[in-house]
Amino acid sequence: MGLEPISRAVLVVDVEKSSERHDREKVELREALYQVLHSGLEAAGLPAERYRLDDLGDGVLAVVDSEVLPLLDPLLEVAVDGLARFNARRDPVSWLRLRFGVHFGLIARDAHGWVGDDVTTAFRIVNGEGVKSVLRAAARAQSVVVVSDAVYRSVVRPGYRGLRAASYRQIHDGGRQVWVRVPGYAEPPVPAEDARPPAPVALAAEQAAKSISISTANGNVFTADTIGHVDARTGLGGAP
């Protein structure tokens, strides 16, 4: 009998430079990773029977019986906030820095785990060299969020729940078009060779921002030509 595919949202979380940590530190960081992930799942109203978590050693695969929107908001918003609280107690050189990858589609599970093109896509978008280079370039960041082109077009671009398409940039990574966002940055520091023009909605938002002389962020006042450099470590789904 063939496998019966089911429609699921897929989240892959990967720890940056996990191989460079010693074993005791890996244990501490993995515990923190699960704490922020479970906090996000709880905030999204997803009970244990609605998701399955598979440990990857240096990350987690979460397959969720849900639409993809709750993964972006509030799940990742809460997870990013929890990550910031954990890192606040650590020296920046020892921060837990995460790559979050979001996709959805038809997948199946056999005796060995999840299988399907959409699972493969979720792994590849989060592990692409272009995405890794974005996080490396974002020295002040604690995470990077990457979504597939399908997620961007169906959920992010329409701006559901206040998601800001203007904070994403498209890159070509491993033969795929993906969209990246760096919480705490008005726009991700995309390496020049990977950068693509912003989507029309993002461009329109930027042009609108330039039409004003004063903007605010985290209670502080900035001129429009400097707002792009604000380090406002907030979550997804609303404020940059």
Side-chain angles (χ1 to χ4, degrees):
M1 179 181 297
L3 294 174
E4 187 71 20
I6 53 178
S7 180
R8 291 291 185 268
V10 182
L11 169 66
V12 178
V13 189
D14 194 86
V15 177
E16 182 190 50
K17 298 181 179 178
S18 175
S19 62
E20 299 179 11
R21 313 282 187 152
H22 58 70
D23 287 351
R24 292 182 61 184
E25 190 176 18
K26 287 179 180 178
V27 171
E28 179 186 8
L29 295 183
R30 182 161 69 174
E31 181 179 356
L33 166 57
Y34 275 93
Q35 285 178 349
V36 301
L37 184 54
H38 279 293
S39 295
L41 288 163
E42 182 179 354
L46 295 166
E49 61 269 20
R50 293 276 302 279
Y51 61 83
R52 180 163 185 150
L53 305 181
D54 289 328
D55 192 82
L56 306 174
D58 59 353
V60 178
L61 166 64
V63 175
V64 187
D65 181 8
S66 167
E67 299 295 333
V68 75
L69 179 56
L71 271 66
L72 295 173
D73 183 8
L75 194 161
L76 285 185
E77 180 177 1
V78 171
V80 167
D81 183 64
L83 178 63
R85 290 198 301 272
F86 172 77
N87 283 332
R89 306 189 301 269
R90 301 172 66 89
D91 188 276
V93 298
S94 64
W95 275 356
L96 171 62
R97 303 218 309 168
L98 302 174
R99 299 191 307 275
F100 296 101
V102 180
H103 187 48
F104 66 91
L106 289 174
I107 62 177
R109 188 173 180 91
D110 62 13
H112 307 289
W114 296 104
V115 63
D117 286 345
D118 289 308
V119 173
T120 301
T121 296
F123 276 108
R124 288 183 175 173
I125 66 172
V126 84
N127 286 306
E129 185 55 39
V131 172
K132 293 179 180 179
S133 69
V134 169
L135 187 54
R136 284 195 299 267
R140 295 177 286 108
Q142 301 177 38
S143 64
V144 62
V145 176
V146 53
V147 302
S148 64
D149 193 56
V151 170
Y152 178 85
R153 295 183 181 280
S154 62
V155 179
V156 176
R157 185 170 64 180
Y160 295 122
R161 296 189 182 177
L163 295 177
R164 294 185 62 252
S167 65
Y168 285 79
R169 285 293 180 273
Q170 183 188 51
I171 63 172
H172 286 185
D173 198 5
R176 287 178 168 80
Q177 294 183 9
V178 301
W179 296 82
V180 293
R181 178 182 188 270
V182 179
Y185 283 67
E187 59 183 59
V190 176
E193 64 270 20
D194 294 322
R196 295 295 181 274
V201 64
L203 188 58
E206 291 171 356
Q207 291 172 340
K210 292 178 180 178
S211 68
I212 60 175
S213 59
I214 297 294
S215 296
T216 62
N218 283 1
N220 297 314
V221 179
F222 300 84
T223 59
D225 62 349
T226 62
I227 193 74
H229 301 289
V230 174
D231 182 15
R233 289 196 175 92
T234 58
L236 301 175

